[in-house]
Amino acid sequence: GEQAYFLTDLMKRALLLCEIGGERFMIPSLLRKSYRLGEGFAPGSLCVFDFSISFLPVGLFQRLICLCLEYRYRNVKGDSDIDMQIFSNYSSFEISHGATIHLYCTTANQKINLWVEKNCFYQFTVKLIQSMLRKISMDVMKARLNWCAFVEDGNRELR
């Protein structure tokens, strides 16, 4: 009823909940199962968002996943949930048509790693994730979120 709508709306505004089609919702902060990357995991070009200059706040990764999924469900037509993987510290999905991303959060290192499978989507996706991080910073962190982004060049080195 009205109370459920109020709570859903409040959680959406706080970026804690995202609508994933129809009356289906995702609350990433409730996910408890974590993912462990295998040795040599590199499914595409890498960008590292390093928060060690200040800190990586609890819940930031989950809020980023909410924004990514909201964007995904507005831009990817059809039901392609089959290839989606979402864990408390890792997510993999098609963020826009043909652009599959992998996000991995390491709280010990204060980093979020982004891999983009196809190079033609790399620049667009890095800018998109940075704009989402800025939105989280402005809407939730009162513009106090600080990070450095390290992008990969053609030689597979971070600069």
Side-chain angles (χ1 to χ4, degrees), residues 81-140:
D81 291 349
I82 291 172
D83 295 331
M84 186 183 303
Q85 296 180 47
I86 302 178
F87 295 86
S88 63
N89 65 333
Y90 171 81
S91 293
S92 173
F93 49 84
E94 189 178 41
I95 195 161
S96 64
H97 193 68
T100 299
I101 66 167
H102 304 264
L103 289 162
Y104 184 70
C105 180
T106 57
T107 53
N109 294 337
Q110 302 285 300
K111 292 180 173 84
I112 295 176
N113 294 341
L114 163 69
W115 288 274
V116 182
E117 286 190 8
K118 293 182 182 174
N119 281 338
C120 60
F121 295 111
Y122 182 74
Q123 186 176 12
F124 164 78
T125 307
V126 168
K127 288 180 180 178
L128 178 65
I129 298 299
Q130 283 194 327
S131 71
M132 291 177 179
L133 289 171
R134 281 192 292 277
K135 177 175 178 42
I136 294 167
S137 180
M138 296 302 291
D139 292 0
V140 180

Side-chain angles (χ1 to χ4, degrees), residues 40-104:
F41 182 84
S45 297
L46 174 64
C47 178
V48 177
F49 299 97
D50 184 351
F51 295 85
S52 64
I53 57 173
S54 58
F55 69 100
L56 178 61
V58 172
L60 178 102
F61 183 73
Q62 291 75 19
R63 286 180 165 98
L64 179 60
I65 295 306
C66 277
L67 288 176
C68 286
L69 291 176
E70 288 271 345
Y71 183 88
R72 177 197 189 285
Y73 278 95
R74 279 188 294 233
N75 293 289
V76 176
K77 302 300 178 217
D79 189 23
S80 57
D81 291 349
I82 291 172
D83 295 331
M84 186 183 303
Q85 296 180 47
I86 302 178
F87 295 86
S88 63
N89 65 333
Y90 171 81
S91 293
S92 173
F93 49 84
E94 189 178 41
I95 195 161
S96 64
H97 193 68
T100 299
I101 66 167
H102 304 264
L103 289 162
Y104 184 70

Side-chain angles (χ1 to χ4, degrees), residues 5-30:
Y5 174 78
F6 172 77
L7 184 58
T8 303
D9 186 57
L10 180 65
M11 290 181 74
K12 272 187 190 178
R13 289 176 192 263
L15 305 175
L16 296 172
L17 170 144
C18 59
E19 192 169 341
I20 56 172
E23 290 293 316
R24 298 182 329 157
F25 299 96
M26 169 75 71
I27 304 173
S29 60
L30 294 180

